[in-house]
Amino acid sequence: MKNWVFGWFVLPVAVVMLSVPVSAHHGASAYDMTKFTTLKATVTDFQFINPHVQLAIEVKDDNGNIEKWIAEANSPNVLSKNGWTKDTVKPGDQITLIGNRTKKGTKVLLLQKVVLFDGHELDSDPYHDY
């Protein structure tokens, strides 16, 4: 009887402990971390929400055509430690973004740094050196 009760206690604990690595964050495997892309853009939307802050931006290509991009940043918790707030950028703001583009070449950027119109720089990843 003791082994049976012990087994019903240990089994759920073991399952939880083994599943922790499985629930780990997806990481940056979709992004080309060997190259940085710099974009001068106009903000169209800023979502300071979990799990990742997102910026919707418009960028002019070499021919003057408007391209719509998404920039994914770190969590609001991490960004707030770097000086970000929900009011850091607003639609219409002109900013420069530095980050890593997807390996597939889609118009999605893993944001590393933002340079605001006034020249103030804000990091998205406090552990990365540019």
Side-chain angles (χ1 to χ4, degrees), residues 26-33 72 100-106 108-110:
H26 58 81
S29 62
Y31 299 95
D32 183 354
M33 301 305 287
E72 180 181 73
N100 306 94
R101 195 170 182 176
T102 60
K103 290 177 182 175
K104 291 183 177 182
T106 59
V108 177
L109 196 70
L110 178 60

Side-chain angles (χ1 to χ4, degrees), residues 29-123:
S29 62
Y31 299 95
D32 183 354
M33 301 305 287
T34 64
K35 298 180 206 163
F36 286 109
T37 299
T38 301
L39 302 172
K40 292 186 183 222
T42 302
V43 176
T44 58
D45 190 34
F46 180 55
Q47 297 291 319
F48 198 69
I49 56 174
N50 280 316
H52 298 282
V53 170
Q54 289 193 349
L55 286 134
I57 57 172
E58 291 182 343
V59 178
K60 285 188 182 177
D61 69 9
D62 294 336
N63 297 322
N65 300 315
I66 300 291
E67 299 178 337
K68 294 183 183 297
W69 284 68
I70 296 292
E72 180 181 73
N74 223 315
S75 70
N77 185 42
V78 171
L79 293 182
S80 64
K81 293 176 183 175
N82 288 330
W84 292 69
T85 70
K86 63 180 180 63
D87 299 315
T88 296
V89 295
K90 299 174 281 320
D93 285 355
Q94 302 292 312
I95 60 173
T96 301
L97 301 93
I98 301 166
N100 306 94
R101 195 170 182 176
T102 60
K103 290 177 182 175
K104 291 183 177 182
T106 59
K107 293 177 178 52
V108 177
L109 196 70
L110 178 60
L111 189 61
Q112 302 296 333
K113 183 183 286 191
V114 168
V115 182
L116 302 177
F117 184 75
D118 64 3
H120 186 78
E121 296 182 6
L122 293 170
D123 287 337

Side-chain angles (χ1 to χ4, degrees), residues 3-37:
N3 287 340
W4 184 78
V5 172
F6 181 74
W8 281 107
F9 173 74
V10 171
L11 182 63
V13 171
V15 168
V16 169
M17 289 179 69
L18 292 173
S19 67
V20 170
V22 174
S23 68
H25 194 271
H26 58 81
S29 62
Y31 299 95
D32 183 354
M33 301 305 287
T34 64
K35 298 180 206 163
F36 286 109
T37 299

